[in-house]
Amino acid sequence: MPEKNGTVIGSDLHENLETLRRICADSADVNIMNVRICGTDCAVVTAEGLVSAAALADLVFQPLMELKMCMDGDGIFRFLSSGSLLSTERVTVNSYGEMFRLLFSGFCLVLADGVSKCCAFGSQGFERRAVQTPDSEQTVRGAQDSFNEVVRCGMAMVRRRMKTPKLRFELVQCGKKTSTDVCIMYLSDRASPEAVAQVRKRIEGIELDTVLSGGYIEPFVDESYGSSFFSACSYTQRPDTACMRLNEGRICILADGAPFCLICPGLFADNFQTMDDMCTKPYYASFMRWLKYAAFLLAVALPGIYIALVMFHPEAFTLKLLLNLYVSEEATPFPLPVEMAILVILFEIMREAGIRLPKSIGGAVSIVGGLVVGDAAVKSGLISAPLLIVVGITATSAFVIPRLDQQISVLRLIFIFAGSLAGLLGIAAAAVLFTANVCAMDELSVSYLSPFSPLEAGGAADLLYRSSFAGYARRHTTVNENAQREETGD
Amino acid sequence: MKMRLSAMQLAALALCARCYSMMTYFPHENNNAAVYIISVLLSSAVQALIILPAVVLAGRTGQGAIYAAGSEKPTVSKIAAALYLLFFMWDIFMTSAGFGYFLDEYFSHRVSGIAALICIAAAAAYLSGLRSSVLGKCAGITLAVFASFTLLLVLSALDRTDASAFHFAVDDIGGTLAQDVKLDILRSREVVMLAFLLGDVKGSHAKSAYSYIGVKAFIVSFVAAFAVLVMGDFAFSTQTPFYYLSCCCTSTIIERFDAGYMSVWTALAVLRLGLGLHCASRCCAVLVSPKEKKTARRLIPFLPAAAAFVVLLFHKGKSVVYLRESLWVIILLAGIIPLGMMLFSKQRSAENESQQI
């Protein structure tokens, strides 16, 4: 909830300005300009760097200065609030709390002597990052724009793609200190009203001082946040993906200051679908989907299964392969699990370094890693070549599903541990636990494994192959069976 | 709102439990596969009759046997819950002991049966705390893994099949059939779990029960038939044809499939044990007030697993795992108690109606 400052504005301008200065302790970024309009003392209050000087001059200052007739404070306020069109956004403010919220959101406040209200005009002109290509979700043929940090810009990007009055935007302020604008987006004829009400209630209940990104909101929206490996809310940087999910009956949440959109409920299958699926032939999109599922399994379980097979079940290998592995492993000084753990942890370190370092140096990390780990370690006999191949396959597979990199990193280590401890028995026990953990996730009454479990024949098929567009025209929802209502206009 | 168990999820749960029993060992009196398969089909028909009252009870009251008596007759509920609890504890004991014993039999040089038992009991403890719908979803996935593994075995041994081992050369075919039917029903302890959980199902209770019985009959018959096709008379000269089937299947990439068998079998064991613990915990919740003796209530279901641990420690597994309970136990819990509860609830509703008039 935003910080409360419900003191009502008085009618004396000088007193009001004094109170304003006192509350913000003469903050350097608050500009107060006293001006006499039509013989009445007025003041224009703006926040440095948050308003556009050009827009202010054209839309507010010039029309006000051109007022010739003699008016008292009430007359000026009436002109500002109902007799003029100075800006696209106009709000009448009664309290200091509201006044500060709008002031620091880039509004220009006009106060007149003798009036116990003020008029706020939207004249935002702060520096913002331009709309750029989505670096975390790149596509070959899909759209190339992404959300930026301004919530209204994100709303416009979604609205531009969905020109239906059924698309609803609800703005909620979160954070006692930050009063962050959080936008809840949904299609009223697709999303379940109960789910929307639930999300709204949860967001309004956030009692944090600061809300600086979607990550601050997620724990409050995601029911299983503390008890599951996976997240029941997914993220997207792409407006087209957000639109696709809205059409499936999901709810999207945009927080001001973060270029990512939170999708509720997020499904496991979302991680394996991209916008490119819609731009390629169904057979290829289906093939890529299968490839991603296989990559996920390889990324999580391959090192653990390799250890389990080599250490506990060598009889499963054919003789030739077994001899090759035996020769390679005999030459190394460390036990297999230790070798594997060293390599995997080293890989995680290099990956983290590559992400955090500037791009120019990030490349050098991979060269050093490739040279040191890939070549020198094998030549010196510290690491066996088959093991390196396994870790290489694992790492490359993980890159195919970047959205799950956190979960993959941890689960991989768990499977290595389980495989080292009890072979395939350990792997099976870990796999059942992992499956149970995923199955236990429900968000807004939607199973995380939906539409695969519980099985919905039409929806589950879409997980295995990309349906034709004729199929999507008939049914295109993953979470709400009753969402196929006829559009009835406004 | 938390999701309820669907009809197919419950069927999957019961099937997983049955697949575990089937992978562990096949109970049979003679070495004739054809007779065994017919007995499985007959036993399935008998089980369909046994479970009928539970299906009707769940359909009529929307509740399981231990809840159908309602709050008006807590003693009736408690007696039913106590009987079910004893059975589930027996099932947990047999599952734990069977897993530990057969693990030592098959894979003793790699993993200790006792250590593995501790491992899967811990995993099952996690599962038992979850809702039955979660267990159902988990069972669906595990069943898919089981089906994939079986398919892999079939594909890898398809070129070595020989049907000459199918015959009816048995001395007393009627007596053998009757004995095998009895043994198959005894091996189907999951029917009691199915009857117990039917009240949780949202949807058709009959679909759940009869899907399970139909698919179970198909799976068991198919596996038995395929084992005989691949291994001939040897398949039924052992109690564990599935294990030997996995050992003798081979492909150009995998030399033998017993490692795969171990992983699928373990996953099914964890699930079965988790299901047993879940059912036992619910019985405990009826018997002991949720507010009182919370720790005791949680620990009671684990006592049989601990007992199995002791049995394995003294190498007495073999004398335990082939023990056979009375057929009446299964008939009582899967059929008679639900029938009694059904009559009781019918009588109660008639009384209520007359009071309203």
Side-chain angles (χ1 to χ4, degrees):
Chain A
M1 290 286 279
E3 196 170 47
K4 292 271 187 298
N5 194 339
T7 316
V8 180
I9 300 168
S11 57
D12 185 84
L13 178 68
H14 296 288
E15 210 172 279
N16 287 342
L17 293 178
E18 270 310 305
T19 312
L20 209 149
R21 285 195 186 97
R22 199 181 64 245
I23 293 175
C24 64
D26 275 327
S27 179
D29 65 336
V30 177
N31 292 332
I32 300 174
M33 284 182 286
N34 289 306
V35 60
R36 213 171 160 74
I37 303 168
C38 304
T40 304
D41 284 336
C42 296
V44 176
V45 187
T46 56
E48 182 84 42
L50 294 182
V51 288
S52 156
L56 261 186
D58 291 346
L59 301 175
V60 182
F61 294 164
Q62 197 181 341
L64 283 178
M65 288 298 105
E66 282 171 2
L67 274 178
K68 295 295 175 208
M69 59 188 122
C70 199
M71 276 194 255
D72 61 353
D74 279 329
I76 291 174
F77 185 77
R78 266 199 306 279
F79 169 74
L80 292 172
S81 59
S82 55
S84 64
L85 287 170
L86 298 185
S87 167
T88 50
E89 275 183 283
R90 182 175 61 195
V91 185
T92 302
V93 181
N94 295 302
S95 69
Y96 283 99
E98 182 70 354
M99 187 193 267
F100 280 111
R101 194 182 67 76
L102 292 170
L103 177 66
F104 296 129
S105 298
F107 277 69
C108 158
L109 308 173
V110 182
L111 294 101
D113 194 29
V115 183
S116 57
K117 294 176 219 176
C118 84
C119 225
F121 297 101
S123 52
Q124 290 90 338
F126 42 81
E127 288 302 317
R128 66 172 76 163
R129 195 167 58 91
V131 172
Q132 290 169 335
T133 51
D135 5 314
S136 65
E137 282 174 85
Q138 290 191 359
T139 57
V140 179
R141 293 196 205 164
Q144 299 294 329
D145 58 344
S146 68
F147 289 118
N148 62 9
E149 284 77 7
V150 184
V151 69
R152 282 171 195 276
C153 193
M155 288 159 65
M157 291 167 101
V158 173
R159 172 66 76 188
R160 195 161 61 81
R161 287 175 166 86
M162 299 201 101
K163 298 170 187 74
T164 165
K166 303 284 183 193
L167 176 62
R168 303 274 195 268
F169 293 116
E170 287 183 20
L171 273 176
V172 180
Q173 271 77 45
C174 287
K176 290 175 194 166
K177 301 284 181 206
T178 53
S179 286
T180 309
D181 281 333
V182 176
C183 179
I184 306 168
M185 305 186 274
Y186 58 93
L187 280 178
S188 60
D189 57 340
R190 293 281 162 124
S192 137
E194 294 81 32
V196 175
Q198 189 82 7
V199 168
R200 191 186 301 124
K201 191 179 161 193
R202 287 178 194 171
I203 292 178
E204 283 172 348
I206 296 175
E207 290 280 347
L208 293 175
D209 279 349
T210 55
V211 173
L212 301 173
S213 71
Y216 286 72
I217 300 169
E218 193 187 337
F220 296 90
V221 178
D222 180 356
E223 280 175 81
S224 51
Y225 188 78
S227 60
S228 181
F229 269 113
F230 289 83
S231 172
C233 298
S234 56
Y235 283 91
T236 183
Q237 204 182 357
R238 305 177 58 87
D240 49 357
T241 304
C243 291
M244 188 168 83
R245 298 304 175 212
L246 286 170
N247 190 42
E248 290 173 8
R250 320 269 193 103
I251 300 160
C252 293
I253 301 166
L254 268 176
D256 196 40
F260 286 91
C261 170
L262 206 62
I263 300 168
C264 309
L267 304 182
F268 184 65
D270 292 352
N271 302 304
F272 303 90
Q273 295 172 4
T274 63
M275 282 312 289
D276 266 342
D277 292 356
M278 299 295 166
C279 307
T280 50
K281 291 263 189 187
Y283 75 87
Y284 185 71
S286 308
F287 167 65
M288 288 314 293
R289 217 164 265 187
W290 277 94
L291 208 64
K292 282 177 199 157
Y293 287 121
F296 174 73
L297 288 179
L298 286 176
V300 169
L302 182 64
I305 291 176
Y306 176 78
I307 290 179
L309 287 175
V310 172
M311 284 178 68
F312 292 87
H313 313 279
E315 76 283 354
F317 294 115
T318 51
L319 188 62
K320 243 182 182 176
L321 183 58
L322 185 64
L323 290 176
N324 276 345
L325 291 175
Y326 179 77
V327 170
S328 310
E329 287 304 331
E330 270 301 294
T332 57
F334 302 119
L336 189 58
V338 176
E339 262 182 83
M340 183 67 88
I342 290 173
L343 263 188
V344 169
I345 291 170
L346 211 61
F347 162 70
E348 291 298 331
I349 290 170
M350 284 191 294
R351 194 177 65 90
E352 191 61 16
I355 293 169
R356 307 290 163 211
L357 280 171
K359 277 181 184 168
S360 50
I361 313 173
V365 173
S366 16
I367 295 167
V368 170
L371 280 176
V372 171
V373 178
D375 197 42
V378 173
K379 276 186 182 162
S380 64
L382 286 174
I383 304 285
S384 71
L387 195 75
L388 197 67
I389 295 169
V390 167
V391 175
I393 294 171
T394 307
T396 317
S397 301
F399 292 144
V400 178
I401 325 131
R403 287 181 200 163
L404 291 176
D405 58 347
Q406 298 168 15
Q407 288 85 358
I408 286 173
S409 299
V410 178
L411 282 173
R412 187 189 291 146
L413 286 171
I414 291 173
F415 273 86
I416 290 174
F417 180 71
S420 315
L421 210 65
L424 283 180
L425 186 142
I427 296 281
V432 172
L433 284 179
F434 159 68
T435 311
N437 188 259
V438 174
C439 289
M441 288 174 70
D442 288 336
E443 174 68 9
L444 302 170
S445 303
V446 177
S447 163
Y448 185 60
L449 293 177
S450 175
F452 174 69
S453 180
L455 193 70
E456 286 171 34
D462 195 37
L463 303 184
L464 306 177
Y465 63 87
R466 204 215 79 192
S467 306
S468 65
F469 281 97
Y472 284 132
R474 280 196 300 276
R475 182 194 179 283
H476 192 194
T477 176
T478 48
V479 295
N480 192 0
E481 273 295 297
N482 302 319
Q484 303 293 310
R485 294 179 217 152
E486 287 295 315
E487 293 226 341
T488 51
D490 291 9
Chain B
M1 193 189 76
K2 296 295 177 194
M3 268 171 277
R4 288 186 72 185
L5 190 66
S6 76
M8 296 319 288
Q9 283 172 351
L10 179 57
L13 261 175
L15 281 169
C16 278
R18 183 66 173 107
C19 288
Y20 166 76
S21 314
M22 183 186 69
M23 286 181 88
T24 309
Y25 77 92
F26 275 60
H28 55 88
E29 283 295 290
N30 68 89
N31 297 348
N32 193 302
V35 173
Y36 178 76
I37 290 168
I38 293 168
S39 75
V40 167
L41 299 176
L42 288 175
S43 134
S44 300
V46 174
Q47 285 170 44
L49 284 175
I50 292 175
I51 207 160
L52 193 63
V55 173
V56 177
L57 174 73
R60 194 169 285 174
T61 63
Q63 288 174 322
I66 59 169
Y67 306 107
S71 54
E72 296 154 33
K73 298 274 183 188
T75 322
V76 177
S77 289
K78 284 190 175 176
I79 291 169
L83 290 172
Y84 277 110
L85 177 63
L86 285 174
F87 177 81
F88 292 135
M89 287 176 77
W90 170 253
D91 185 72
I92 294 165
F93 172 71
M94 290 300 277
T95 306
S96 315
F99 181 78
Y101 170 73
F102 283 105
L103 195 78
D104 274 341
E105 283 285 294
Y106 301 152
F107 307 100
S108 59
H109 56 292
R110 289 163 211 150
V111 188
S112 145
I114 293 171
L117 179 59
I118 294 170
C119 195
I120 70 150
Y126 172 74
L127 255 71
S128 67
L130 301 170
R131 299 187 307 278
S132 55
S133 63
V134 176
L135 291 178
K137 282 191 230 173
C138 215
I141 294 167
T142 313
L143 200 63
V145 173
F146 169 81
S148 311
F149 177 68
T150 310
L151 189 70
L152 207 65
L153 290 184
V154 170
L155 292 176
S156 61
L158 213 52
D159 56 336
R160 291 190 286 128
T161 51
D162 171 17
S164 59
F166 281 106
H167 52 78
F168 289 96
V170 186
D171 287 342
D172 172 17
I173 195 159
T176 312
L177 261 176
Q179 189 60 23
D180 274 358
V181 167
K182 184 187 165 191
L183 287 177
D184 189 66
I185 297 174
L186 282 175
R187 196 76 184 126
S188 303
R189 287 198 298 265
E190 69 283 350
V191 175
V192 177
M193 292 174 174
L194 185 88
F196 181 79
L197 290 173
L198 264 175
D200 284 14
V201 170
K202 183 191 177 187
S204 168
H205 304 94
K207 184 181 165 191
S208 182
Y210 296 118
S211 307
Y212 153 71
I213 287 173
V215 179
K216 179 202 79 168
F218 169 75
I219 292 178
V220 178
S221 317
F222 177 80
V223 169
F226 192 73
V228 175
L229 283 173
V230 175
M231 297 188 290
D233 285 332
F234 173 73
F236 270 65
S237 64
T238 160
Q239 294 275 1
T240 54
F242 203 115
Y243 170 69
Y244 288 109
L245 179 68
S246 69
C247 290
C248 70
C249 286
T250 183
S251 73
T252 48
I253 304 166
I254 299 165
E255 192 68 25
R256 44 192 280 167
F257 285 84
D258 55 341
Y261 166 90
M262 184 198 201
S263 50
V264 176
W265 183 55
T266 306
L268 290 168
V270 173
L271 205 67
R272 169 143 195 169
L273 209 52
L275 179 64
L277 289 169
H278 174 85
C279 294
S281 304
R282 285 175 60 167
C283 291
C284 284
V286 172
L287 289 169
V288 185
S289 163
K291 287 172 190 167
E292 294 163 18
K293 299 170 186 166
K294 218 171 178 179
T295 318
R297 191 162 58 82
R298 283 185 183 160
L299 283 178
I300 289 169
F302 293 94
L303 292 178
F309 179 81
V310 176
V311 166
L312 292 173
L313 213 58
F314 287 98
H315 303 286
K316 298 286 180 200
K318 192 172 184 179
S319 55
V320 167
V321 292
Y322 293 116
L323 276 179
R324 287 165 190 171
E325 63 265 37
S326 165
L327 188 64
W328 286 104
V329 174
I330 289 176
I331 296 172
L332 172 78
L333 293 167
I336 295 174
I337 291 183
L339 181 69
M341 288 297 178
M342 191 174 68
L343 296 174
F344 181 76
S345 67
K346 203 174 175 182
Q347 186 191 346
R348 201 179 53 172
S349 58
E351 279 169 13
N352 288 347
E353 271 175 32
S354 63
Q355 273 174 2
Q356 279 174 358
I357 292 163

